[in-house]
Amino acid sequence: MRTANTRTIVIWTLVALVGAAGWSVLALARGEDVSAAWMVAAALGSYAIAYRFYSKFIAYKVLKVDRTRATPAERLNNGIDFHPTDRRVLLGHHFAAIAGAGPLVGPVLAAQMGYLPGTIWIIVGVIFAGAVQDMVVLFFSTRRDGRSLGQMAREEIGPFGGAAALIAAFAIMIILLGVLALVVVNALAASPWGTFSIGMTIPIALLMGFYLRVLRPGRVTEVSLIGVALLLLALVAGRWVAESSWADTFTLAPSTLVVWLVAYGFIASILPVWMLLAPRDYLSTFMKIGTIGLLALGVLVTLPTLKMDAVTDFASRGDGPVFAGSLFPFVFITIACGALSGFHSLISSGTTPKMIQKETQVRMIGYGSMLMESSVAVMALIAASVIDPGLYFAMNAPAGVIGTSVQSASEAVANLGYTISPDALAKAAEQVEEASLLSRTGGAPTLAVGVSEIFSKVTGDGLRAFWYHFAIMFEALFILTALDAGTRVGRFMLQDMLGNLYRPFKNVSWKPGLVITSAIVCALWGYFLWVGVHEPLGGINQLFPIFGISNQLLAAVALAVCTTLLVKSGRLKWAWITGVPLAWDATVTLTASWQKVFSSDPRVGFFKQRSVYQDGIDRGEVLAPAKSMDDMHTIVTNSTVDGVLSAVLALLIVVVIVDAARVCVRHVRRPALSSLSEAAYVESKIVAPAGLFPTKEEREEEREGERRAVVGSAAPGSSGD
C-alpha cells in the first residue's frame, strides 16, 4: 500500500511539474522563440490535476453523488428520450453535442490579442467555471427528471425570475442554433467531399444504433470498431467522390443545404435518441478527438514556434482589425466554448440527464467532456498562433480594412505593425489550392491553414492542400453534431414552457407534443438561416454580432440556478464553487453588454453605429461595408435590433440573478420556507462504472450483476425461458 501511495505521489508530482514548466515558459518568455509544445504541456498538466482532484472533490464532497440512486433514464425509460446509455457512448454524445463552433473559431479570433490571454482564459476558465457549470447543472437536472435549465429556474427560483430565465434561454438557444447552422452551410457549400462524408455518418450511425439496441446489445467495443472503420472509409471516399463525376451531385447550393439541415434537425429531434442522435455523436467523437490528438502529437513532434506575440498592442488599444474592443471584457466573450459556455448548460439539462446510467458518472461526462472541449480550444489557438501573423491578419481583417488585392493587403498589414509580401500571400493561397485567402473571416479558414501547417511538417508539403480541406470538413462535422442535439434540447425547452400552460407537454415523449415543438424550433432557426443565406446582411447575420454575449449571459443564468440550488439543498458553505464563477461571468458579460449598447465607438456600440449610418443616409452617402442605400438601411435596422436585444437580454439576466439572490437570502434566514423540486429517491438496479475504466471493485460488482441476471433468466417462469 505504501509503495502504491508513493508511486501515486511521484506520478502526480511529475504531472504538476510538467504543467508548471509549461506555464512558466509561456508567462515569462519575452523576445525569444517559444515552442507551441509548452502550451500543450501547460494545458494537459492543468487538466490532469483539475480532473483528478478538483472534480472529484466537487462530485463526492459537495454534490455527494449517490451510486445507489436511480437516474431518470432508469426510472422513466421509454426508449425515446429516456434511455440508459453506456457511459462511453454517452460521453461521446455529450462531448459532440457541446463541441460546436465555439472552441474552433473563438480562440482563432482571440489570437488577435496574443496567445497568452486566450491560453490563460481557456485553461483557468474551464477548470474553475466551464467544467464546474456543466457537471453541476447535469447533476441537478438528473435529480429533477432531466428538467431543462429554464424550468429548473422557474421551479427553484420562482415564477418571476424563472419566467425571465425561460424566455432568455429559449431566445438565446434559437440564436445559437441559427449561427451554428450558418457556419455549417458556409463550410459545406460547394464542398462535395464534406457533404458526402458528413452525409454518410447518418446511415453509419443508424447501423450502430440498431446494432447496440437489437443485434448485439452492450457490445460497445464491437460497434466502435465497425463505426470507426466505416467512418474512415467515408472520409477517404469523400475525396474520391469530389474528384469523380459524382461531384456535381454532392455540390449543393447554400439554399439547398438549408433545406437539408432543417429536415435533418427535425428528424433527429423526433427519432428515439438511441437510433440516430447518440450513436452519431459517439461516432463523430472518434474523429474529433482523433484529429485533435493527432494535432497535439504533431505539435510535440514538429515543435512549431508560436509566431504571434504573447500579448499584442490590440489588447490594450482595443482597435484590432478582427474585432473591436479591449482585452477586458471582449477576449472572455470571444472565447466562450472551451472555457465557459451557456450552451453547454442546455445540453447538460437536455438530452444527457435523460440518458445517464448513474449519478456517479456526472463527473466523467460533465467535467471530463468540458476538459476535452477545452483541449480543442487550445489546439485551435495554437493553430492560429503558429502561422505568420501577417497572414493571420490578412485572412481575418475585413476587405474594408485590407482591400481586395494582395498588394493592398500587404500594405494594410504593414500599417498594423506586421509584414508579409504580396508574393507570400499569393503562395499561401496556392499551397492550399484556394484562389485567395484574403478576408476569409470567421476563424474557420485560419484554423484550417494552421492545421495544414502542422500536419504538412509531418507528412510533407505535398499534402498541405489535403490537410487544409480536411480541416474545413472536420469543422463542419464538429458543428453539425451540436446542431442536431441543440434542436432536440430546444424542443425540450419549448415543451417545458408550454407544459406550464397545457400539462400534456410536460411529458417530453408525448408524440404530438414532440412533433409540434420540434417543428416550431426548426422553423424558427431555419427561418433566420434561410434569410441569412439569401441576404448577406439579414436573417441570422443580423444576430451574429450578439452571439458571444448571448452565450455568456446564458452561462450566468446556469450559474445562478446552480448557486441557488447549492444554497437551498444545504450546501451553503460550498456555494462559492459556482458563486465565484457567476460573479466573474456576470461582471464580464454585463460590462460587454453595456459597451455594446452605449459605447461611443461605432465599431463597438450598436446605437452609435446606428447613428453613424443614419447620418450617412441623411447625407445620401454609402458607407462601407454597405454597397447600396438599401444596405445602409439594413445596417441601421440591424444595429437597432442588436442594441435592443442586447439590452433586453442583459436586463433579463439581471432579473434572474437578483431574484436568485433574493431566494438564497430568504433560505438562509428562514430555511423552513424553502422547498426543492427534487425527485423522490428510488434504488437503482443498474450496475455500471463511474469512470471510463472500471475499478477493481466495479469490475467485481459488474460480474456479480451478470451472475444474478443469468440466475434470474434461468428461473422457472422467467422471461428468459
Side-chain angles (χ1 to χ4, degrees), residues 100-117:
L104 295 173
V105 174
V108 172
L109 302 180
Q112 166 184 268
M113 302 291 190
Y115 66 78
L116 188 57

Side-chain angles (χ1 to χ4, degrees), residues 16-97:
L17 289 174
V18 168
W23 281 118
S24 299
V25 173
L26 292 175
L28 301 178
R30 293 292 182 272
E32 63 263 25
D33 291 343
V34 177
S35 171
W38 290 114
M39 195 182 295
V40 175
L44 295 182
S46 301
Y47 295 153
I49 295 293
Y51 185 78
R52 171 61 179 82
F53 298 101
Y54 193 51
S55 71
K56 186 175 182 180
F57 161 73
I58 296 174
Y60 291 96
K61 182 70 174 180
V62 179
L63 301 179
K64 299 186 186 306
V65 292
D66 186 354
R67 70 185 184 89
T68 70
R69 189 186 188 105
T71 64
E74 181 178 358
R75 290 186 291 102
L76 306 175
N77 183 10
N78 59 13
I80 300 176
D81 295 310
F82 294 91
H83 176 65
T85 304
D86 185 281
R87 68 198 184 284
R88 292 161 291 186
V89 176
L90 187 57
L91 176 67
H93 158 73
H94 186 79
F95 168 71

Side-chain angles (χ1 to χ4, degrees), residues 53 133 179 329 351 358 367-368 442 631 684 712:
F53 298 101
Q133 171 205 256
V179 170
T351 54
K358 308 289 286 185
Y367 202 97
D631 286 351
S684 175

Side-chain angles (χ1 to χ4, degrees), residues 477-621:
L477 175 65
F478 225 100
I479 298 163
L480 186 59
T481 54
L483 181 64
D484 53 18
T487 300
R488 197 179 191 97
V489 171
R491 185 251 286 182
F492 291 151
M493 295 169 64
L494 186 56
Q495 285 177 282
D496 274 343
M497 292 173 65
L498 296 178
N500 295 317
L501 304 174
Y502 184 58
R503 191 155 189 83
F505 278 103
K506 287 282 188 185
N507 177 6
V508 293
S509 299
W510 179 52
K511 290 185 178 179
L514 68 86
V515 171
I516 292 170
T517 51
S518 295
I520 292 173
V521 171
C522 289
L524 288 173
W525 66 257
Y527 165 76
F528 287 114
L529 178 62
W530 179 267
V531 176
V533 163
H534 290 85
E535 297 180 19
L537 296 177
I540 197 59
N541 298 299
Q542 182 183 56
L543 303 177
F544 200 95
I546 63 174
F547 171 78
I549 289 179
S550 299
N551 192 27
Q552 299 304 71
L553 286 173
L554 187 56
V557 173
L559 291 167
V561 172
C562 289
T563 304
T564 303
L565 285 170
L566 286 173
V567 173
K568 290 180 66 177
S569 60
R571 301 173 174 91
L572 175 61
K573 67 178 180 179
W574 305 120
W576 59 268
I577 289 171
T578 54
V580 171
L582 169 61
W584 168 256
D585 183 55
T587 301
V588 167
T589 51
L590 292 177
T591 300
S593 297
W594 178 272
Q595 291 187 20
K596 295 300 287 184
V597 174
F598 297 110
S599 174
S600 59
D601 185 344
R603 296 171 303 172
V604 177
F606 289 127
F607 289 134
K608 182 61 177 179
Q609 184 184 72
R610 180 194 184 282
S611 176
V612 168
Y613 280 86
Q614 184 60 57
D615 290 344
I617 292 173
D618 295 340
R619 296 192 304 269
E621 181 181 355

Side-chain angles (χ1 to χ4, degrees), residues 149-290:
L149 177 67
Q151 189 62 26
M152 284 197 294
R154 186 179 186 278
E155 293 173 353
E156 301 292 353
I157 295 178
F160 188 60
L166 279 168
I167 295 170
F170 187 71
I172 291 171
M173 185 63 163
I174 297 301
I175 294 172
L176 298 182
L177 289 174
V179 170
L180 290 173
L182 181 63
V183 177
V184 174
V185 169
N186 290 339
L188 293 184
S191 174
W193 180 12
T195 302
F196 175 83
S197 298
I198 289 176
M200 287 303 297
T201 62
I202 297 174
I204 295 173
L206 289 170
L207 171 64
M208 293 173 66
F210 279 99
Y211 193 96
L212 276 179
R213 177 81 173 187
V214 180
L215 300 178
R216 300 275 285 174
R219 305 292 184 176
V220 176
T221 303
E222 288 180 17
V223 80
S224 299
L225 293 174
I226 294 171
V228 170
L230 292 174
L231 175 62
L232 293 175
L233 179 60
L235 293 175
V236 174
R239 197 179 191 195
W240 296 341
V241 168
E243 297 172 351
S244 72
S245 58
W246 289 8
D248 290 343
T249 304
F250 292 94
T251 303
L252 304 181
S255 56
T256 305
L257 283 168
V258 171
V259 174
W260 280 111
L261 282 179
V262 171
Y264 171 72
F266 176 77
I267 293 171
S269 180
I270 64 175
L271 284 180
V273 71
W274 60 265
M275 187 180 295
L276 176 60
L277 193 66
R280 187 184 180 284
D281 289 349
Y282 178 59
L283 177 66
S284 301
T285 297
F286 283 103
M287 181 180 172
K288 293 179 177 182
I289 292 299

